[in-house]
Amino acid sequence: MSHKLLSKKQLCPNVYMTDIEAPLVAAAARPGQFVIVCLAGGYSERIPLTIAGADAKKGTIRLIWQAVGKSTVELGQLKVGDSVENILGPLGKPTHVEKFGTVVCIGGGIGNAPLLPIATAMKKAGNKVISILGARTRELLILEEDFKAVSDEIIIVTDDGSYGRKALVTGPLDEICQAAPKPGLAVAIGPAIMMKFCCATTKKYDVPTVVSLNTIMIDGTGMCGGCRVEVGGQTKFVCVDGPEFDGHLVNFDLMMKRMQAYKKQEAQALEEYKHKCKIGLDK
Amino acid sequence: MNQQQLLDELLKKHKDGTLKPSDRFNIPPQPMPQQDSVERRKNVNEVALGYTETQARLEALRCLQCKNAPCVEGCPVRIKIKEFITEIVEGNFQKALDIIRENSLLPAVCGRVCPQEVQCQLPCTVGKKFKDVEKSVSIGRLERFVSDWGRKQHDQSSPAVAAATGKKVAVIGSGPGGIVVATDVRRAGHDVTVFEAFHKTGGVMVYGIPEFRLPKAIVQEEIDTLEKMGVKIVRNFVVGRTKTIKQLIEEDGFDAVYVGVGAGLPMFMGIEGEHLVGVYSANEYLTRANLMRAYDFGKGADTPIAMSKRVAVVGGGNVAMDSARTAVRLGAEKVYLVYRRSEKEMPARVEEVHHAKEEGIEFHLLRNPKKIIGNAEGVVTAIECLKFELGEPDASGRRRPVPIEGSEFIIDVDTVVVAIGNGANPLIGQTTDGLTLNKWGNIIVDENCKTSLEGVYAGGDIVLGAATVILAMGQGRTAAAAINEYLKSK
């Protein structure tokens, strides 16, 4: 079965959003889950991508991804009407949603994509949702309007001050944790380093914090163990035990090192692909 | 006298009834022709090349045709070994194949990967006579010869299918057990759908067992046969997540379900340094190399793998041998196999241990890792091991390895592959209410492979723990018979 791209939009440089036909996944998907996309049947990589939205009636899921390596760049080259051959999912445990009181949703860069369905579900469950969205610079900020629609309060920060506050997400997060009543839950999704410092911040105030990990993965069903992380001193598999974990227990330093495992080979593959396809990569 | 002359002479005696057991004992056991050990380090092509017709018939003539056929007792699926070997002697290879197929649906696979030396060939009278199991009749090689002969005839026939019954059966997992169940249940006329989580079918036969031991094309032919029989195959469908077993029954109208999802959760040693970059589970290492063809990275394959110079593989089973031999083919200069007992206790097949040694893999026996050492970037640089000695037998009947204190030593490596087994995948258990599991998470079944849930059957590694292809097939046959019986009354 192949999965047709029904829409495609570039959200910012190298970041694409598409609605794609996947009725089975759409029917089962819950916030927090992900899929594995494999472009063609041959020997393409299996790429784990979080589900940024699902419409069970239309039978579509929304994927948002950043073109960083050969396979995600190749995925970004597809046009509306093109298909990808394989989509497996939904995978991982869904987010635990209940009324926590105030939920702070912290998104960094592409992390806003998986965060959006979680923020939406938290709002629906009766929580007060405060969203903190961070980006390096204004043009890299994605999904601002969508977050406005589901947030009681929204705070934008940029590293360079080109939009919103010139700060890191941990700045406003610290302030929110100090306020009374303190948040019942924080959900942080973004670069590992950002999640690490968000957890360090919330830990000071004892605010429970959920993070969603996006480690290297192959099968996504527990079989290979490539996605393993250390949580509370124990080995956990992101694909079946996660992708969400108690951020205060995750060994981020180890995880960040593991995520660098194929940096050299990935760079080489991307170079060769660009050369071969002579594609005009957007700068 | 050359092989052909020897064969002609023996056949003549055989025909006029003067072939004596002593003549049979004098036939030299036929060695398996194989790829040169230096050459094969550089390719992924099959190592064992298969018997010639002459060799197969000579080997078949070594069989004494014992009245009680102890070999059959040793076969988990009770292939009529004596009968099929007789047909090989006569040169009736099609008949031989038909006899095997009565009991085994995957002879080309089993002829290659079954541990014959601990199954059919262990009780062989010829082997007993020489007090050496390696001198038993090479039943596995003969099985392989017959199935390969069949494939060369472009035998496109597929098993006959009975009239449609209107009953629907879901088979979860397209590994050896799933293929067997799908075939047997489809034969009875039921509508069968196989669900596979990967984008490629075949389970452990395609992600785990390397091409040099079991070519993918052979597995694909089995899948093609299933499709020709009208079995539907759905890839990229993970039962438990895409849909639960309950949904398959209640929403999609499946009357029975077979769970053959394999073991699927790699075990680690729990030692320091296991999260370093360059430490793999055997499953990950083999999946990258086999299923995703990482040996062709940049040449049509997109999944990378460590380009290792020095690799340590921990474990002593077939998976450990497969990993070590894969490392060699990926260009490693030094590959060490670290196993905590002695060679005698190794669960790997003797033939594969032998192949591994031929390919230059260094065995560190009675050694076990204590910790894995890395550099500032979190990349493996060495493995620290302890020496062991064998103590009293443990529950498994094997002598227990006991560490020798203060015997630590270090091997410099850049990659470590952990091949010490698999636990049960938790997904089906977590998402199927009422399914009874044991304390290790394996599904509990009765003698008919029936689970605690009405209409739900299970077999293979998810029931047995890590076992073999043939045991999974044996359970598949049992389960299929039970499903067919169950559906009659439904």
Side-chain angles (χ1 to χ4, degrees):
Chain A
M1 175 170 171
S2 70
H3 305 267
K4 202 191 268 185
L5 270 69
L6 300 177
S7 72
K8 186 186 169 189
K9 197 173 157 190
Q10 186 166 352
L11 298 182
C12 72
N14 293 339
V15 175
Y16 302 92
M17 174 169 87
T18 168
D19 286 330
I20 192 162
E21 263 176 10
L24 288 172
V25 182
R30 299 287 175 272
Q33 292 187 298
F34 63 99
V35 289
I36 285 192
V37 174
C38 184
L39 274 170
Y43 298 94
S44 307
E45 260 179 301
R46 294 168 61 88
I47 319 161
L49 296 175
T50 34
I51 302 170
D55 187 325
K57 270 193 205 122
K58 285 191 199 150
T60 61
I61 56 168
R62 175 163 291 184
L63 298 180
I64 297 177
W65 73 96
Q66 189 168 16
V68 283
K70 190 241 174 187
S71 300
T72 44
V73 167
E74 203 178 350
L75 190 58
Q77 300 295 306
L78 296 180
K79 296 183 275 299
V80 173
D82 289 347
S83 294
V84 299
E85 203 164 307
N86 309 290
I87 296 182
L88 171 70
L91 298 170
K93 291 180 177 168
T95 308
H96 173 70
V97 179
E98 63 167 71
K99 192 163 177 189
F100 295 97
T102 299
V103 176
V104 199
C105 293
I106 311 113
I110 188 79
N112 292 2
L115 187 63
L116 181 62
I118 298 171
T120 308
M122 289 298 180
K123 177 70 192 168
K124 219 170 144 188
N127 291 290
K128 177 184 176 189
V129 172
I130 304 176
S131 298
I132 307 172
L133 305 182
R136 263 193 294 124
T137 186
R138 178 173 192 157
E139 67 163 344
L140 298 178
L141 182 74
I142 61 167
L143 303 175
E144 183 187 355
E145 293 306 313
D146 303 77
F147 271 95
K148 268 187 189 153
V150 298
S151 308
D152 294 278
E153 211 179 298
I154 186 162
I155 302 159
I156 309 284
V157 297
T158 49
D159 290 7
D160 63 359
S162 54
Y163 189 47
R165 274 169 67 173
K166 182 179 189 318
L168 298 172
V169 287
T170 43
L173 177 60
D174 196 286
E175 292 156 21
I176 292 163
C177 287
Q178 285 177 39
K182 76 182 180 188
L185 184 76
V187 182
I189 309 183
I193 189 84
M194 181 207 95
M195 292 193 280
K196 178 184 168 178
F197 283 106
C198 284
C199 292
T201 305
T202 56
K203 183 118 179 60
K204 284 190 292 181
Y205 304 99
D206 251 346
V207 172
T209 303
V210 167
V211 292
S212 179
L213 306 183
N214 182 16
T215 50
I216 291 173
M217 202 175 275
I218 304 183
D219 63 299
T221 62
M223 196 273 288
C224 84
C227 64
R228 65 192 186 276
V229 286
E230 197 182 282
V231 181
Q234 285 186 310
T235 296
K236 295 281 178 190
F237 294 162
V238 170
C239 65
V240 284
D241 299 319
E244 293 176 2
F245 293 97
D246 177 345
H248 294 153
L249 298 178
V250 172
N251 184 337
F252 283 104
D253 293 338
L254 204 58
M255 175 183 139
M256 285 188 269
K257 281 176 182 164
R258 280 186 66 79
M259 287 174 75
Q260 299 299 309
Y262 294 105
K263 221 177 164 186
K264 244 191 252 166
Q265 280 142 301
E266 279 161 5
Q268 175 207 334
L270 180 62
E271 228 13 80
E272 282 167 12
Y273 178 70
K274 285 201 278 189
H275 181 73
K276 197 175 92 197
C277 301
K278 299 189 170 57
I279 50 166
L281 281 175
D282 17 46
K283 274 271 154 320
Chain B
M1 191 164 33
N2 69 23
Q3 278 188 324
Q4 190 58 48
Q5 288 167 331
L6 174 64
L7 177 63
D8 292 342
E9 188 180 297
L10 290 164
L11 284 173
K12 191 166 163 286
K13 278 190 173 180
H14 175 66
K15 244 192 197 139
D16 55 29
T18 59
L19 191 69
K20 294 190 293 281
S22 60
D23 295 320
R24 296 184 190 270
F25 289 134
N26 282 333
I27 305 171
Q30 296 299 302
M32 182 61 124
Q34 58 182 44
Q35 241 202 102
D36 173 74
S37 61
V38 176
E39 200 47 45
R40 73 183 192 235
R41 286 175 59 103
K42 293 176 264 173
N43 66 53
V44 294
N45 303 336
E46 201 170 8
V47 167
L49 301 171
Y51 277 165
T52 61
E53 269 193 43
T54 310
Q55 277 187 303
R57 294 179 78 182
L58 278 174
E59 185 67 28
L61 278 164
R62 296 182 64 233
C63 173
L64 298 172
Q65 294 290 309
C66 315
K67 221 176 246 169
N68 58 346
C71 47
V72 178
E73 282 302 302
C75 172
V77 297
R78 302 282 184 271
I79 290 177
K80 292 174 186 157
I81 295 166
K82 195 167 115 171
E83 283 86 345
F84 97 75
I85 290 181
T86 302
E87 298 302 338
I88 295 179
V89 171
E90 304 294 341
N92 296 331
F93 305 135
Q94 183 64 53
K95 259 195 188 153
L97 184 55
D98 294 340
I99 293 168
I100 296 174
R101 278 200 180 142
E102 286 173 37
N103 296 75
S104 171
L105 297 166
L106 304 171
V109 175
C110 294
R112 285 170 167 80
V113 303
C114 268
Q116 291 100 4
E117 66 274 15
V118 296
Q119 295 180 345
C120 53
Q121 291 171 202
L122 185 63
C124 172
T125 315
V126 179
K128 297 261 189 239
K129 146 99 183 159
F130 290 109
K131 295 194 174 66
D132 181 357
V133 70
E134 287 190 54
K135 295 211 167 91
S136 296
V137 176
S138 289
I139 299 165
R141 293 171 184 173
L142 290 174
E143 180 185 20
R144 171 182 162 154
F145 168 79
V146 168
S147 65
D148 286 357
W149 176 90
R151 288 173 47 244
K152 273 187 223 136
Q153 310 309 306
H154 302 291
D155 171 18
Q156 300 294 319
S157 64
S158 52
V161 174
T165 59
K167 304 271 169 54
K168 282 172 70 176
V169 179
V171 173
I172 308 172
S174 66
I179 291 176
V180 166
V181 174
T183 310
D184 276 1
V185 172
R186 178 68 191 136
R187 282 209 269 218
H190 306 304
D191 181 353
V192 179
T193 306
V194 175
F195 295 98
E196 167 58 47
F198 263 131
H199 61 290
K200 288 196 169 101
T201 39
V204 70
M205 298 184 290
V206 298
Y207 75 73
I209 303 176
E211 181 79 13
F212 57 80
R213 210 149 70 80
L214 177 63
K216 306 279 169 286
I218 288 175
V219 180
Q220 189 54 48
E221 279 178 31
E222 302 300 341
I223 304 291
D224 292 345
T225 304
L226 277 187
E227 289 192 292
K228 263 187 267 167
M229 292 173 72
V231 171
K232 286 166 230 157
I233 296 182
V234 180
R235 296 167 180 83
N236 302 297
F237 191 111
V238 57
V239 176
R241 291 271 183 241
T242 312
K243 281 191 178 185
T244 60
I245 288 180
K246 193 175 170 213
Q247 283 178 303
L248 290 177
I249 294 170
E250 291 176 2
E251 295 170 16
D252 297 340
F254 283 100
D255 300 286
V257 177
Y258 177 77
V259 184
V261 295
L265 205 67
M267 286 182 191
F268 288 92
M269 297 175 286
I271 59 172
E272 192 185 325
E274 249 179 329
H275 293 280
L276 292 168
V277 172
V279 181
Y280 289 90
S281 74
N283 280 357
E284 180 182 1
Y285 195 69
L286 292 171
T287 300
R288 283 179 184 273
N290 295 326
L291 186 85
M292 310 309 289
R293 223 172 65 188
Y295 50 81
D296 276 344
F297 179 69
K299 290 177 284 182
D302 295 333
T303 302
I305 198 164
M307 281 301 128
S308 325
K309 292 282 170 248
R310 302 166 76 90
V311 181
V313 175
V314 183
N318 288 318
V319 177
M321 297 303 148
D322 287 344
S323 303
R325 298 174 65 199
T326 295
V328 164
R329 284 158 177 79
L330 287 165
E333 288 156 12
K334 284 270 176 200
V335 179
Y336 308 99
L337 189 107
V338 181
Y339 179 55
R340 64 195 185 123
R341 303 184 202 242
S342 76
E343 190 170 331
K344 202 168 134 247
E345 287 84 19
M346 268 193 178
R349 296 189 61 202
V350 173
E351 184 174 331
E352 305 310 339
V353 171
H354 180 67
H355 282 153
K357 284 183 177 168
E358 281 180 345
E359 288 164 13
I361 287 149
E362 285 179 34
F363 282 48
H364 280 269
L365 302 169
L366 289 164
R367 308 282 186 266
N368 208 34
K370 191 181 167 193
K371 68 175 181 189
I372 303 169
I373 302 162
N375 61 18
E377 283 78 50
V379 179
V380 173
T381 56
I383 184 165
E384 186 183 313
C385 298
L386 264 178
K387 294 181 182 171
F388 279 64
E389 57 193 357
L390 290 178
E392 293 303 305
D394 62 12
S396 74
R398 299 178 298 179
R399 292 180 65 192
R400 198 166 59 87
V402 184
I404 303 171
E405 268 189 61
S407 65
E408 287 87 348
F409 67 104
I410 285 179
I411 315 174
D412 292 334
V413 292
D414 53 35
T415 304
V416 176
V417 181
V418 182
I420 57 168
N422 290 285
N425 189 297
L427 193 53
I428 294 277
Q430 280 170 3
T431 57
T432 315
D433 288 338
L435 189 68
T436 312
L437 310 174
N438 69 13
K439 64 175 169 174
W440 299 283
N442 297 104
I443 299 175
I444 297 176
V445 297
D446 68 9
E447 68 281 6
N448 293 317
C449 289
K450 188 187 174 308
T451 70
S452 53
L453 287 175
E454 171 82 6
V456 180
Y457 297 75
D461 281 4
I462 191 63
V463 169
L464 300 167
T468 57
V469 167
I470 187 78
L471 288 173
M473 288 180 49
Q475 287 209 312
R477 288 231 103 169
T478 304
I483 290 171
N484 287 337
E485 197 53 41
Y486 167 73
L487 291 180
K488 263 188 214 163
S489 59
K490 202 176 179 248

